[in-house]
Amino acid sequence: MTDEERDVRVPASGRAGLIARLARERTLADAELVRLLAPGWSEADEQALFSAAREARERTYGHVVYLRGLIEFTSHCRNDCYYCGLRAGNAHAERYRLDADTILACCEQGYDLGLRTFVLQGGDDPFFSDDRVCAIVAAIKARFADCAVTLSIGEREHASYQAYFDAGADRYLLREETADPVHYRRLHPPELSCEHRKRCLVDLKAIGYQVGCGLMVGSPGQTVADVIADLRFMERLGPHMIGIGPFLPHHDTPFAHEPAGSMADTLHLLGILRLMFPHALLPATTALGTVAADGRRLGLLAGANVIMPNLSPAGVRGKYLLYDGKLCSGAEAAENHAALERVVGSAGCEVVVSRGDYVG
Ligand code: 5AD
């Protein structure tokens, strides 16, 4: 946030009017978004936002929360993003890959727990060639015909995305991280570009995937103007899913000493996203659960409707360390289904056995 942004005054009447209009019209002018995103929320404004967000969610999805089994299948990465513990330059990162049989065994376990979406997430790992990715996707779809497969394996060629789609992949997650090219430069090495990343998202959507974008809240150098650039990018893209969580430092990265993003900022942005994109699938992310013990519950209360429990084999979970303290046990672990149901229930929602597709 810049000094100027810190000085933005919230209207004397509070943010209630802006929230009501955002709920009605699903968008606001830049200057209004600046006021809505300004720091210093009153309890009343917060509750106005969260209850409007829950109402918007309930109109499309009722009280249902969808689960996605997250399989972190490779911790190898050729990229060097400054924020991420898996960056290529981190010689201390523990690297592993899961083979196809192990991935299928994870799905089997997830299926028995009632999960009907499997998210294959990994670093940008060239070992997983197009042929290998297609073979894994096809094997999962052959064995679990009633399940959705989501890929989250970074920036690839259009032809590769098409091949995975043809092999049966249903969805793709690729956070843009920031839609502003100058801010993007602050977070990524010169060989990566904001423009290419956004291009990938547009390509994925055109191919026919349900597409998820998103960002880290409070990443180093992020301003309110950057967040608004993301909101505008999302308005153009029309994502089916939007993943946000606080930035959290990792000790072996250039951002080791940068401050973490805040839970409050994350919850406010979740509520705003719910009002702007009432049909979107919005996860209460692991990072939100990591920054505070009841982060997930509060995320659901702010309008989220997805949780992604960890389905990776227990032996590798600690190795997929994107940031320090990353949760992988308790309600985070897929096998701890009862704990998860308690969290969801405590937010007035219920878990269902469903693929949980986007409802347009
Ligand atoms: N803090 C929070 N989120 C992070 N991610 C990567 N590193 C961090 C971090 N240090 C997020 C990125 C990426 C997703 C898989 O994890 O947004 O897209």
Side-chain angles (χ1 to χ4, degrees), residues 209-269:
Y209 285 94
Q210 291 174 51
V211 172
C213 63
L215 59 112
M216 294 173 287
V217 175
S219 60
Q222 184 182 66
T223 63
V224 170
D226 295 330
V227 174
I228 293 173
D230 279 286
L231 296 175
R232 298 302 182 211
F233 169 68
M234 291 175 195
E235 286 183 326
R236 290 193 297 278
L237 176 67
H240 305 90
M241 305 166 279
I242 307 169
I244 66 160
F247 159 77
L248 297 166
H250 181 291
H251 62 282
D252 276 324
T253 63
F255 289 162
H257 303 294
E258 296 288 339
S262 86
M263 176 167 77
D265 288 350
T266 307
L267 295 175
H268 299 152
L269 188 57

Side-chain angles (χ1 to χ4, degrees), residues 168-182:
D170 303 274
R171 309 185 188 134
Y172 205 102
L173 304 178
L174 182 72
R175 292 184 178 178
E176 75 278 13
E177 314 296 357
T178 172
D180 180 84
V182 175

Side-chain angles (χ1 to χ4, degrees), residues 155-221:
E155 295 175 44
R156 299 220 172 179
E157 297 299 322
H158 185 287
S160 304
Y161 288 151
Q162 185 69 57
Y164 313 150
F165 188 76
D166 295 341
D170 303 274
R171 309 185 188 134
Y172 205 102
L173 304 178
L174 182 72
R175 292 184 178 178
E176 75 278 13
E177 314 296 357
T178 172
D180 180 84
V182 175
H183 186 220
Y184 196 89
R185 217 17 69 254
R186 173 87 203 274
L187 305 179
H188 301 95
E191 58 276 14
L192 295 176
S193 93
C194 186
E195 196 190 345
H196 188 262
R197 201 159 179 93
K198 290 193 277 194
R199 172 88 252 151
C200 286
L201 281 160
V202 171
D203 287 349
L204 287 160
K205 186 153 184 218
I207 289 170
Y209 285 94
Q210 291 174 51
V211 172
C213 63
L215 59 112
M216 294 173 287
V217 175
S219 60

